[in-house]
Amino acid sequence: MSDRFDIAVIGAGMAGASLAAELGPHARVVLLEAEDAPGRHATGRSAAFWAETYGGPLVQPLTTASGGWLEDHGFLGERGALNIARAGQEAEVEAFIADFARAGVRVERLGRDEIERIVPGLRAEWCHGVSEPTCKDIDVAGVHGWYLAEAKRAGVELRCRAGLLSAAHDREWRLELADGSTIRCDVLVNAAGAWADPVAELAGVRPLGIQPLRRTVVQIRTVPAADGGLPLVVDLGGQFYFKPESGRLWLSPHDETPSLPCDAAPEEMDVAIAIDRFEQVVDWQVERIEHKWAGLRSFAPDRLPVYGPDLRNPAFFWFAGQGGFGIQTAPAAARLAAQILLGHSADDLTAGLDRNLYLATRFG
């Protein structure tokens, strides 16, 4: 005997929870999570900021579209971002400003004196700045919890400790789960994050080359102590970022180390690199490393998210490859993916998005 659903969603992190919440009012949906609770991996290890420039110009429309929803639901807090660059990086600064100003993102060039006032102790070689005043802190747990609650209200059934063991398709899907149960469904949604390609292989679907990349974050205590009003500070060259958090700093070396899907842990070398890069930015003293963690950010080969039915098996639906921008784009991404799956037209949230940029069928 098996349970029967219209749609089974694999993965109850931000991707799976948000999409299940969007699908729940329209179909009988089960949300399957391998861990003992949702959000144990990438969702629970986010650096927790919303920045329109993060992910590049083709991801920006998803972020911008999500911003109003997140603001209206009370999940964003004031922060601001400062992108900094060394002498000799003038071309990169010009390109960054041009790309995002063209898209309507508020960016403003700042000189050396202005950026040093924002980041006291900034070393002399950092002489270019681009302010991004719309950058916000984001309540990741709040957004994830909201979507899980909405999914439950819509009748979505959440099953934890229910990892996918096998999936066979013959007019419908038959799924064997780690909790010993069997599920049948019409559509199988792959929202498995770092495990997206392995889930595809279990289902007999060709993987798309979605690669998990490890990202490290370190919480440090500094002298002087981190000012809570400090913006998110990002290296325009992609070597680090840091932001204040409760009197401490969250610091990342912006690492992207290929990894197998796993419960990621920080490597001591990456922690050391983070500290070394930080000390090349400001003359502050790192007094103590208080906490360190790592998460896996999963990218498709073109670094854009992957939404939509598989080219060869339309009953297999991709909702993966959302890199480090999956949380800040969740409202628009989930709404758009649900509209693609259900055959619904765009609404106010998704009207400005070009779904063709993100369709799984682009990989041929």
Side-chain angles (χ1 to χ4, degrees), residues 87-103:
Q89 291 184 286
E90 290 81 5
E92 291 94 325
V93 172
E94 293 297 332
F96 181 87
I97 292 172
D99 281 344
F100 291 105
R102 189 181 305 117

Side-chain angles (χ1 to χ4, degrees), residues 24-266:
H26 308 283
R28 188 168 183 228
V29 179
V30 62
L31 180 59
L32 303 173
E33 171 57 51
E35 303 293 347
D36 59 0
R40 294 292 195 210
H41 295 286
T43 298
R45 306 178 193 193
S46 167
F49 58 79
W50 179 92
E52 290 175 284
T53 59
Y54 192 69
L58 297 181
V59 172
Q60 172 268 321
L62 292 162
T63 304
T64 300
S66 298
W69 187 99
L70 292 165
E71 190 81 60
D72 291 345
H73 286 75
F75 294 127
L76 297 181
E78 294 303 315
R79 174 56 53 202
L82 174 64
N83 300 274
I84 60 175
R86 291 183 172 96
Q89 291 184 286
E90 290 81 5
E92 291 94 325
V93 172
E94 293 297 332
F96 181 87
I97 292 172
D99 281 344
F100 291 105
R102 189 181 305 117
V105 178
R106 289 176 58 198
V107 288
E108 178 185 355
R109 185 195 315 276
L110 301 179
R112 166 67 198 185
D113 291 345
E114 293 169 297
I115 62 177
E116 188 174 18
R117 280 196 294 271
I118 297 169
V119 187
L122 190 69
R123 297 194 185 277
E125 61 265 32
W126 298 94
C127 54
H128 301 293
V130 181
S131 172
E132 189 179 339
T134 58
C135 176
K136 309 283 187 181
D137 286 337
I138 183 169
D139 178 1
V140 177
V143 178
H144 187 223
W146 189 93
Y147 275 122
L148 287 170
E150 282 298 296
K152 183 177 181 179
R153 276 191 285 271
V156 174
E157 182 178 331
L158 170 63
R159 296 189 185 182
C160 294
R161 304 183 190 87
L164 182 66
L165 298 181
S166 68
H169 185 253
D170 181 12
R171 292 186 296 242
E172 65 177 5
W173 289 101
R174 178 184 171 91
L175 313 180
E176 302 290 342
L177 306 177
D179 63 1
S181 66
T182 300
I183 282 177
R184 295 181 184 276
C185 63
D186 296 318
V187 177
L188 179 60
V189 173
N190 183 1
W195 285 263
D197 269 6
V199 163
E201 290 177 321
L202 276 176
V205 171
R206 188 184 73 176
L208 297 182
I210 293 178
Q211 175 64 58
L213 303 175
R214 190 177 68 244
R215 170 63 52 88
T216 304
V217 180
V218 184
Q219 179 176 298
I220 58 175
R221 179 184 292 186
T222 62
V223 178
D227 185 333
L230 189 74
L232 169 70
V233 179
V234 182
D235 170 29
L236 207 61
Q239 294 293 297
F240 62 81
Y241 58 78
F242 56 86
K243 60 173 279 193
E245 184 68 31
S246 304
R248 309 293 191 263
L249 274 183
W250 283 5
L251 165 68
S252 174
H254 213 273
D255 48 332
E256 291 192 342
T257 306
S259 171
L260 294 172
C262 66
D263 185 3

Side-chain angles (χ1 to χ4, degrees), residues 2-3 5 36 38 75 77 80 90 120 126 161 172 214-215 229 238 273 284 288 310 315 321 335-336:
S2 63
D3 292 332
F5 295 88
D36 59 0
F75 294 127
E90 290 81 5
W126 298 94
R161 304 183 190 87
E172 65 177 5
R214 190 177 68 244
R215 170 63 52 88
I273 289 171
W284 305 359
R288 184 181 306 163
D310 186 76
R335 183 72 56 81
L336 180 62

